[in-house]
Amino acid sequence: MYEPDGSAMVYWHALDGMDLIGQREAAGASAGNPGFPIPLAGTSTGSVLVFDVPAKGTNITLSEVLEQHSSPITDIGEGAADLVTADDSGALCVWGSGETFRLINKIPASDCTCSSVKLWNGVIAAGYGNGQIRLYEAAHGTLRAQVNAHARWIYALDLAPLSGKPEFGKRPLWGTGQLPWFSIPTFDKGGLCLSCCLGCVTDTQICGARFCNPEGTAFAVTGFELNEIILYHQV
């Protein structure tokens, strides 16, 4: 972990033979510091490392290790108070935050890898290696919808929580990337109303996708061995 300007390293952690797979900052309370983002790191053994970062100073410590996955962690998604972790077998774990994380629900392994996962308002959006996007209820693990818009692997997924016109209520917009198509569906949690806008980046394999604002009107993608980021605006 480094200073914001990259000038100095303030903390390092030995993985003891584990490989670091992914990392994320989750909203929550670190020890003695309510509301401060919590750094998380997933490993190739299936462990999720939780670090405590003080509001001032560099006394960073490993505070907790979450041990519910038996396959490598592929992604970590966070919500207002909860957390979802995904692994190479397709299993998902939903965690509640507090002084320590507690397991709320576990969705069993699937027939393919869960490569990307997001959490919004009690709903999990998960992208898989077979090109599917599945929507689950976080509290019970119930599958609510399955989207078959892609023919191949979903490499990236992002969610814009404030998108949607006011007259239609709050609904998230997510973007997914594969080869070479990306889609931007809208999702209405109440009625599971789905619509989709497709785009194509020719001659490249999309490996990253990200909304640039909470409203979801700007969307960036990049590709494997592509030395640029392509930015789209919705009008």
Side-chain angles (χ1 to χ4, degrees), residues 155-232:
Y155 290 110
L157 184 149
D158 196 26
L159 190 149
L162 300 181
S163 65
K165 296 180 180 179
E167 60 266 29
F168 294 107
K170 182 185 288 187
R171 60 180 67 175
L173 198 67
W174 71 76
T176 60
Q178 58 151 213
L179 173 67
W181 290 91
F182 66 87
S183 61
I184 305 179
T186 57
F187 162 51
D188 187 337
K189 179 189 174 185
L192 288 177
C193 177
L194 302 173
S195 63
C196 186
C197 174
L198 288 174
C200 180
V201 182
T202 58
D203 301 324
T204 189
Q205 174 179 302
I206 292 176
C207 61
R210 185 83 176 188
F211 282 105
C212 302
N213 57 11
E215 296 76 22
T217 56
F219 186 76
V221 297
T222 190
F224 182 70
E225 293 186 343
L226 190 66
N227 61 354
E228 60 185 11
I229 298 172
I230 304 170
L231 180 63
Y232 294 87

Side-chain angles (χ1 to χ4, degrees), residues 57-137:
T58 59
N59 189 26
I60 301 169
T61 58
L62 177 65
S63 62
E64 191 176 358
V65 180
L66 308 182
E67 301 277 11
Q68 284 291 331
H69 291 277
S70 57
S71 296
I73 301 298
T74 52
D75 199 16
I76 302 172
E78 75 280 359
D82 296 328
L83 179 77
V84 59
T85 52
D87 69 26
D88 195 53
S89 72
L92 305 175
C93 289
V94 183
W95 309 85
S97 63
E99 291 187 4
T100 60
F101 282 97
R102 68 189 188 282
L103 183 67
I104 296 176
N105 184 44
K106 187 172 184 178
I107 299 171
S110 180
D111 54 352
C112 54
T113 297
C114 178
S115 52
S116 190
V117 66
K118 296 293 178 182
L119 182 62
W120 177 81
N121 199 22
V123 174
I124 299 170
Y128 290 85
N130 61 0
Q132 291 180 342
I133 300 170
R134 300 173 190 171
L135 306 179
Y136 296 94
E137 289 184 3

Side-chain angles (χ1 to χ4, degrees), residues 18-30:
M18 298 182 290
D19 294 324
L20 184 66
I21 302 297
Q23 58 187 15
R24 184 80 63 180
E25 275 192 347
S30 57

